[in-house]
Amino acid sequence: MNKFCMTAICALAAAPAFAESHMASDAMAKAGLTYGVRPAYLVSKMEDGPLKDELAACLGNTPERSAFSIGHRGAPLMFPEHTAESNMAAASMGAGILECDVTFTADKELVCRHAQNDLHTTTNIVVTDLAENCTTPFTPASGDTDASAECRTSDLTLAEFRTLEPKMDASDASATTAEEYLGGTADWRTDLYANDATLLTHAESIALFDSLGADFTPELKSPSVEMPFDGFSQEDYAQKMIDEYKDAGIDPSRVWPQSFNLDDVLYWIENEPEFGAQAVYLDDRYEASDEDEGAIDPMDASTFKPTMQELADMGVNYIAPPLWMLITLNDAGEMVPSVYAEQAQEAGLEIITWTLERSGPLASGGGWYFQSVSDAIDTDGDYFEVLDVLAQDVGVAGVFSDWPATTTFYANCKGL
């Protein structure tokens, strides 16, 4: 690539489909922001009370962009995740921050995918000529064995990656053909907007999000390949992600780099302190076994290792656990902050959380994301009850959502 080529222009020239979506983003920006119908629907499902009355009074408000509202992979409740279209939809709902989950291809180019090994569920790769490149090619269901495949971005060059067609993240475990395997979309999502969606490189996401008036929260995804990869170390990977913001001339104050790997966060703090100041530690220690010293019980501060104060002493300013770790039920069955949330507050850590509207309808308790308060959840209107506790009692700085209009509406109504 010409060394004098400006980042955004080079990206446009390299990817005609992205160029078209970039122009579409200009049209969307001019069209203004919209809540759509969902916030009003959710308010109608709330139990009567002061919060419902307050939110109902805001339904006629003019939407405003809010950094409290973070697009989780764009707006994947209805759009294929990490596509230009998904992020344009999130921006149109007022999401002030958009996310590119960052991984790399065989030629070490950065692209937006939730995982390095998710191409078999998020694209059409298993029915293309590139299927033979997959780490584990498609295997049909047989007897008690589910259909399976594993296709990684590192199995492809960037040029090959660009030929894929994105789709809703799903697969059909009962499939006996590769074509059937492309199905499986949950009945509370939709394939209506999956046609002709546009994949993004990380550099293209920067140009697009900037054009949409949004800020950035890239997540450095854990590699599925052994590192170093062809001489590409974890530190090289962490640095390359930051370098693409520097190359694009993005002010560090607009970027919240994320990682589940605490070493990545500490690398940015030490080597890129302007970006490291807003680096977000995605705390997944809840996945550790009970025997593991790192396992966290959100109601037992003795299990926080490192502790919240130790994280703060390391220079970590932002922590981002799943929302169920931040809230619990008191003896009266009311949602209240967990000990984990209280300890983070006491250490002066900013808190971001994930992911609202990821689990579908809440009538059955909300699933994994709401596991600590499932006994208090029985209607979709409870999304706002959860948001209110997170915002007003836990004091979170932002909430990831699969449909950002809900979070934007709440933030606007509350003046966040």
Side-chain angles (χ1 to χ4, degrees):
M1 185 173 291
N2 189 308
K3 66 179 179 180
F4 298 108
C5 185
M6 295 175 62
T7 301
I9 295 174
C10 291
L12 294 174
F18 172 69
E20 293 175 7
S21 69
H22 196 72
M23 289 185 284
S25 73
D26 293 335
M28 183 171 286
K30 292 175 182 176
L33 305 183
T34 177
Y35 294 135
V37 299
R38 186 157 177 78
Y41 168 79
L42 295 178
V43 170
S44 75
K45 295 296 184 181
M46 296 178 68
E47 294 183 5
D48 291 340
L51 181 60
K52 180 176 182 177
D53 293 342
E54 182 181 5
L55 294 177
C58 291
L59 288 172
N61 289 1
T62 300
E64 297 182 12
R65 194 171 306 285
S66 173
F68 183 84
S69 178
I70 306 172
H72 179 243
R73 316 183 205 177
L77 184 64
M78 298 181 74
F79 290 81
E81 64 185 48
H82 287 310
T83 60
E85 291 77 10
S86 186
N87 281 291
M88 286 188 286
S92 75
M93 298 178 209
I97 302 174
L98 298 175
E99 178 187 42
C100 169
D101 288 331
V102 178
T103 188
F104 57 87
T105 59
D107 44 355
K108 299 185 278 291
E109 295 296 331
L110 303 185
V111 296
C112 298
R113 289 290 89 195
H114 178 64
Q116 189 168 47
N117 62 340
D118 73 1
L119 294 182
H120 50 288
T121 63
T122 63
T123 75
N124 69 333
I125 189 171
V126 296
V127 295
T128 73
D129 292 341
L130 293 171
E132 62 187 24
N133 292 32
C134 291
T135 296
T136 305
F138 169 73
T139 301
S142 177
D144 295 331
T145 304
D146 290 342
S148 63
E150 183 185 1
C151 304
R152 302 174 177 176
T153 58
S154 54
D155 293 333
L156 309 177
T157 65
L158 177 58
E160 291 169 331
F161 172 80
R162 288 192 186 281
T163 68
L164 301 177
E165 296 177 6
K167 68 180 192 69
M168 295 298 282
D169 184 12
S171 62
D172 184 348
S174 66
T176 57
T177 67
E179 288 76 14
E180 292 174 349
Y181 190 70
L182 298 179
T185 301
D187 59 10
W188 43 268
R189 295 183 182 269
T190 181
D191 291 317
L192 186 61
Y193 303 109
N195 296 322
D196 299 320
T198 312
L199 293 171
L200 292 171
T201 68
H202 178 236
E204 288 167 354
S205 79
I206 295 172
L208 178 63
F209 299 176
D210 193 34
S211 74
L212 292 167
D215 291 337
F216 317 86
T217 185
E219 180 188 337
L220 196 74
K221 301 303 296 189
S222 298
S224 298
V225 295
E226 185 176 348
M227 299 293 277
F229 174 75
D230 190 25
F232 189 54
S233 69
Q234 185 69 25
E235 292 77 14
D236 294 334
Y237 179 32
Q239 186 62 53
K240 186 177 177 70
M241 189 182 85
I242 298 300
D243 285 344
E244 292 196 345
Y245 289 93
K246 296 165 74 173
D247 291 344
I250 301 298
D251 191 294
S253 66
R254 298 179 60 197
V255 184
W256 285 263
Q258 315 168 70
S259 181
F260 281 106
N261 183 350
L262 181 57
D263 288 340
D264 292 337
V265 174
L266 298 179
Y267 173 86
W268 293 323
I269 290 169
E270 180 177 354
N271 295 281
E272 291 287 352
E274 288 187 293
F275 289 90
Q278 293 189 157
V280 181
Y281 174 40
L282 295 160
D283 193 351
D284 68 345
R285 290 176 285 174
Y286 54 84
E287 291 188 341
S289 66
D290 292 338
E291 293 77 23
D292 190 324
E293 285 192 352
I296 280 183
D297 175 353
M299 297 306 296
D300 182 358
S302 68
T303 67
F304 306 170
K305 299 179 178 70
T307 67
M308 299 300 172
Q309 188 57 56
E310 286 169 341
L311 287 170
D313 292 343
M314 294 175 190
V316 175
N317 293 319
Y318 286 83
I319 192 167
L323 62 86
W324 65 264
M325 290 183 68
L326 296 171
I327 52 179
T328 189
L329 300 179
N330 64 15
D331 291 341
E334 302 164 328
M335 286 185 274
V336 295
S338 66
V339 171
Y340 178 98
E342 293 170 346
Q343 291 286 313
Q345 292 170 333
E346 290 176 13
L349 295 172
E350 295 280 0
I351 305 171
I352 298 171
T353 194
W354 44 277
T355 302
L356 203 72
E357 304 211 68
R358 183 73 185 165
S359 303
L362 298 187
S364 59
W368 187 86
Y369 291 91
F370 299 86
Q371 59 187 278
S372 62
V373 293
S374 59
D375 289 346
I377 289 174
D378 56 14
T379 174
D380 281 7
D382 288 329
Y383 277 122
F384 283 128
E385 302 289 352
V386 170
L387 261 180
D388 198 53
V389 175
L390 290 170
Q392 306 304 323
D393 300 331
V394 176
V396 298
V399 177
F400 282 90
S401 177
D402 276 20
W403 199 248
T406 302
T407 309
T408 302
F409 168 73
Y410 175 86
N412 288 174
C413 189
K414 288 289 191 174
L416 300 179

